[in-house]
Amino acid sequence: MNETKSCAPADLWTAWEQIQWNKCEHEVRKLQARIVKAQKEGRHNKVKALQWMLTHSFYGKALAVKRVTSNAGKNTTGVDHVKWDTPRKKMDAIADLKRRGYRPQPLRRVNIEKSNGKLRPLGIPTLKDRAMQALYHLALDPVAEATADTHSYGFRKERSTRDAKEMCFTVLSRKIAPQWVLEGDIKGCFDHISHEWMLKHIPMDKMILRKWLKSGYVFHNKLYPTYEGTPQGGIISPTLANMVLSGMQTMLSERFKVRMGKNYYNPKINIVKYADDFIVTGKNKEILEKEVKPAIKEFLAERGLTLSDEKTKITHISEGFDFLGYNFKKYNGKLIVKPADKAVKNLLEKVKTITRKYCSASQITLIRTLNPITQGWSNYYKTCSNGKVKVRTDYLIYNIIRRWADRRHNKKSKTWVSKRYYHTMGKEHWRFGTWIKKEGQKQFFYLKRLTDVPKTDHILIKSDANPYDMEYQAYFDKRHTRNILDHFNGGRYIRNMWEKQMRRCRACGEPITTNTPWLMTYRVVNNKRIKYLVHEDCCKFTNVNEWRFL
């Protein structure tokens, strides 16, 4: 009876534009919360029944189709070259997402170059296969969150690299903290996971999972079978990889616990994991080399995986190590976290490449191209000690931009070039920018510096917090509010406006989060300005003559 109710809107919403997405999200969220509750109670048959209900509901299918048709890869096709670019095709796709008779098509294999020059194979499924993966991911992810390691942060909802960085700081910053670190990296994680292990241990529809794993791939118009691994590029692949690696933290805790009286404690063995990259701390080099590393190798061998000898090494904290683009190193007993030298080098190389590419472009075009890159870099590193690094990098970027300006006017004097491209803004001199007219007013449009983004503190997420568990709903609501205000440097006025709009976009009704860029706008009604918060992408749904973006 409940399953029939969950599918009821199929005959009510006959057009894509009629679908009430808030209703879909609400109903799917309720089922996911029930899955988490059943998983915590150990009722595995109930989990399977709820997963079946979710994967056969209209709500879940609609959200799955919406996900694959609204992300950046919606125009990237698989081997069938089919696109869902019209409302009619999207509604037909919802009706076509059925388990009975489903047969996935082979992946379209492409190779992308990695930072070390090697190639990473990427498998591109068809849109239908992507939608099926998105649908079953809605039912699998709540179980994955309930069974995941508490210190695992990669490809998990509401967790990020900042949480992993804060956890590393927590376990390494104290005076009595372990001094040795094992930097681990799994060799070809996605490509070598054992199919047999996944089919035996992953709690989802085995028939569907087997079809995905054995679908093969097409490369240079030739079909190849797949005997191991899960394809990079699939929606559900990161969750499958996380579930394969889940349990490493529990294994280390059980193997290296020491009894003291009636209690057990861990002798400075801590693990922080982000996807297939992880670090393990230890009180000395010998315990990491002779005990921890073999234990991890044994754990991975059961899953068909091995450690990368090239990237796996043991380092003393005084020498420092890089993890997730951050550098961790102790200076005179104090732990300092700053951007890795490689991250600074990559930023400067990107700026150089852009200035060469836009050698004949206007100053405004160059600024519009560089600002998102430099500000994105600053926002990523704004929670670590990077003041000196930012000042030095700003100076190096200034030198690159100055060479760009001098080359454009090689017959002019240095003074003329300086007056042409650099101005004073308040108390700050040598701002690379120009004056433009916007809505009839003269405004200064300038290149933002890395030091413009102030340092902020990031609060580490609770280790056992589950975003699908209703018990933590108030916790995540409070966390969302704090994160979005920190991300946009907003005050009480923006917060009140956000709350008044029920935290949703005024134009489309979708939630406004840190992952959905938004703008403050106003609409002229009876010669009065009424301000709203809307998504950046929602400008195409509105009348430009009615909306004005601030």
Side-chain angles (χ1 to χ4, degrees):
M1 186 70 181
N2 292 334
E3 183 173 354
T4 305
K5 183 179 179 180
S6 66
C7 301
D11 57 351
L12 299 178
W13 297 336
T14 58
W16 180 260
E17 296 84 354
Q18 296 176 350
I19 297 179
Q20 299 177 11
W21 298 112
N22 296 343
K23 176 72 172 177
C24 292
E25 292 174 359
H26 178 70
E27 294 298 328
V28 169
R29 179 66 185 269
K30 285 200 304 184
L31 284 174
Q32 290 174 330
R34 293 176 63 189
I35 291 174
V36 171
K37 183 179 179 182
Q39 180 67 31
K40 289 170 63 176
E41 296 172 352
R43 303 170 61 190
H44 301 295
N45 288 333
K46 183 68 173 179
V47 171
K48 292 181 181 179
L50 292 171
Q51 286 180 323
W52 181 277
M53 184 184 301
L54 178 53
T55 54
H56 288 71
S57 69
F58 177 85
Y59 298 118
K61 294 178 181 179
L63 288 178
V65 173
K66 181 188 177 185
R67 176 175 179 178
V68 301
T69 56
S70 59
N71 58 20
K74 62 183 178 182
N75 294 321
T76 304
T77 60
V79 294
D80 59 354
H81 303 289
V82 172
K83 292 183 181 181
W84 295 341
D85 49 5
T86 64
R88 182 70 263 169
K89 290 181 180 180
K90 296 175 184 179
M91 287 300 295
D92 293 341
I94 295 176
D96 197 33
L97 292 184
K98 298 179 180 179
R99 181 181 184 273
R100 179 177 296 179
Y102 170 67
R103 185 176 181 181
Q105 298 191 49
L107 306 171
R108 181 165 67 89
R109 171 68 63 88
V110 295
N111 291 323
I112 57 176
E113 188 174 353
K114 299 167 65 174
S115 58
N116 58 5
K118 296 182 180 180
L119 295 178
R120 173 184 285 118
L122 185 68
I124 303 177
T126 63
L127 278 174
K128 181 178 178 180
D129 293 337
R130 273 180 255 174
M132 286 292 288
Q133 290 188 22
L135 176 60
Y136 279 83
H137 180 265
L138 291 173
L140 179 63
D141 201 41
V143 179
E145 285 290 335
T147 58
D149 291 338
T150 56
H151 297 162
S152 174
Y153 301 96
F155 301 112
R156 292 182 61 187
K157 192 174 181 181
E158 306 298 344
R159 300 189 178 216
S160 64
T161 54
R162 289 179 181 173
D163 293 303
K165 186 265 294 182
E166 288 295 330
M167 191 63 211
C168 291
F169 185 85
T170 300
V171 300
L172 293 170
S173 60
R174 294 173 295 175
K175 291 183 179 180
I176 61 172
Q179 301 296 307
W180 290 90
V181 177
L182 169 67
E183 304 172 58
D185 183 85
I186 302 173
K187 186 177 182 180
C189 179
F190 284 86
D191 300 329
H192 301 297
I193 299 175
S194 170
H195 284 181
E196 290 72 20
W197 192 96
M198 282 193 286
L199 290 171
K200 184 178 180 180
H201 295 90
I202 299 297
M204 66 168 292
D205 193 317
K206 306 299 182 183
M207 186 191 77
I208 296 294
L209 179 59
R210 182 180 289 104
K211 288 183 177 181
W212 284 338
L213 298 177
K214 304 297 183 181
S215 62
Y217 64 91
V218 174
F219 188 61
H220 289 165
N221 297 324
K222 186 177 179 181
L223 179 63
Y224 296 88
T226 49
Y227 301 106
E228 60 181 4
T230 178
Q232 296 189 55
I235 291 177
I236 204 172
S237 295
T239 301
L240 293 177
N242 274 340
M243 298 191 75
V244 169
L245 299 178
S246 180
M248 188 184 301
Q249 177 181 332
T250 304
M251 181 271 296
L252 292 176
S253 299
E254 291 293 327
R255 180 167 296 194
F256 295 100
K257 67 182 180 181
V258 178
R259 184 169 184 175
M260 180 177 285
K262 297 182 179 180
N263 301 321
Y264 290 90
Y265 77 99
N266 198 309
K268 298 186 179 182
I269 303 296
N270 303 286
I271 182 172
V272 180
K273 181 158 57 72
Y274 191 92
D276 58 341
D277 296 328
F278 61 90
I279 66 163
V280 182
T281 62
K283 61 181 180 180
N284 55 54
K285 186 176 182 179
E286 288 71 24
I287 192 173
L288 293 177
E289 182 70 39
K290 298 180 180 180
E291 299 183 42
V292 173
K293 191 174 180 180
I296 293 176
K297 285 185 175 181
E298 180 183 348
F299 175 86
L300 296 176
E302 297 177 2
R303 294 151 174 81
L305 301 172
T306 57
L307 284 176
S308 172
D309 296 331
E310 177 186 352
K311 297 181 179 180
T312 302
K313 52 187 177 180
I314 300 175
T315 312
H316 194 271
I317 191 62
S318 61
E319 299 176 5
F321 66 94
D322 293 344
F323 184 58
L324 302 176
Y326 298 97
N327 177 262
F328 299 82
K329 186 177 180 179
K330 274 193 174 181
Y331 298 85
N332 298 324
K334 183 178 181 181
L335 181 65
I336 300 297
V337 184
K338 60 183 181 180
D341 292 340
K342 186 177 180 181
V344 176
K345 182 180 178 181
N346 290 339
L347 174 64
L348 295 175
E349 287 295 331
K350 190 175 294 186
V351 173
K352 288 180 182 178
T353 302
I354 291 174
T355 54
R356 293 192 191 104
K357 181 179 179 181
Y358 291 87
C359 59
S360 59
S362 66
Q363 184 182 14
I364 295 177
T365 302
L366 181 65
I367 294 175
R368 283 176 176 166
T369 307
L370 289 178
N371 269 344
I373 296 172
T374 57
Q375 293 305 289
W377 192 92
S378 272
N379 285 328
Y380 184 82
Y381 292 106
K382 71 178 182 179
T383 60
C384 62
S385 303
N386 58 1
K388 294 182 179 179
V389 176
K390 279 188 174 183
V391 172
R392 176 176 170 272
T393 308
D394 269 333
Y395 175 72
L396 295 176
I397 292 176
Y398 162 79
N399 288 335
I400 297 172
I401 300 298
R402 184 59 192 249
R403 286 195 294 270
W404 174 87
D406 290 339
R407 284 196 301 266
R408 290 168 63 89
H409 307 282
N410 52 7
K411 294 184 180 180
K412 299 288 186 178
S413 66
K414 301 292 184 181
T415 303
W416 186 95
V417 174
S418 298
K419 292 181 178 180
R420 169 69 175 78
Y421 290 102
Y422 293 90
H423 304 274
T424 299
M425 189 179 71
K427 296 182 179 180
E428 298 184 12
H429 306 287
W430 296 95
R431 278 284 186 172
F432 182 76
T434 184
W435 294 95
I436 62 173
K437 283 188 176 182
K438 187 174 182 181
E439 298 181 2
Q441 297 181 353
K442 195 175 182 181
Q443 297 183 6
F444 185 57
F445 185 61
Y446 60 94
L447 178 66
K448 296 181 180 179
R449 295 174 180 170
L450 303 180
T451 51
D452 290 341
V453 179
K455 182 182 182 300
T456 60
D457 295 327
H458 180 76
I459 299 177
L460 178 64
I461 190 173
K462 290 183 179 180
S463 59
D464 55 349
N466 189 334
Y468 298 105
D469 194 341
M470 299 305 294
E471 178 184 349
Y472 291 97
Q473 184 175 2
Y475 169 76
F476 281 108
D477 286 343
K478 184 177 179 180
R479 188 174 178 85
H480 288 163
T481 302
R482 181 175 59 249
N483 288 344
I484 199 168
L485 294 179
D486 290 343
H487 184 77
F488 294 99
N489 298 321
R492 183 177 298 178
Y493 180 79
I494 296 180
R495 175 178 180 175
N496 292 340
M497 187 183 302
W498 185 51
E499 295 287 355
K500 186 177 179 180
Q501 294 181 194
M502 303 300 290
R503 304 182 179 185
R504 295 183 177 273
C505 171
R506 183 66 174 80
C508 67
E510 295 296 310
I512 293 178
T513 66
T514 54
N515 297 323
T516 55
W518 54 270
L519 294 168
M520 183 189 296
T521 73
Y522 68 86
R523 192 174 185 179
V524 180
V525 179
N526 297 328
N527 296 325
K528 293 182 180 180
R529 291 186 178 185
I530 302 178
K531 295 182 179 180
Y532 302 104
L533 300 178
V534 298
H535 293 131
E536 287 184 0
D537 295 338
C538 289
C539 59
K540 60 186 177 182
F541 300 113
T542 59
N543 189 338
V544 179
N545 295 324
E546 296 179 351
W547 292 89
R548 298 292 184 270
F549 293 86
L550 300 178

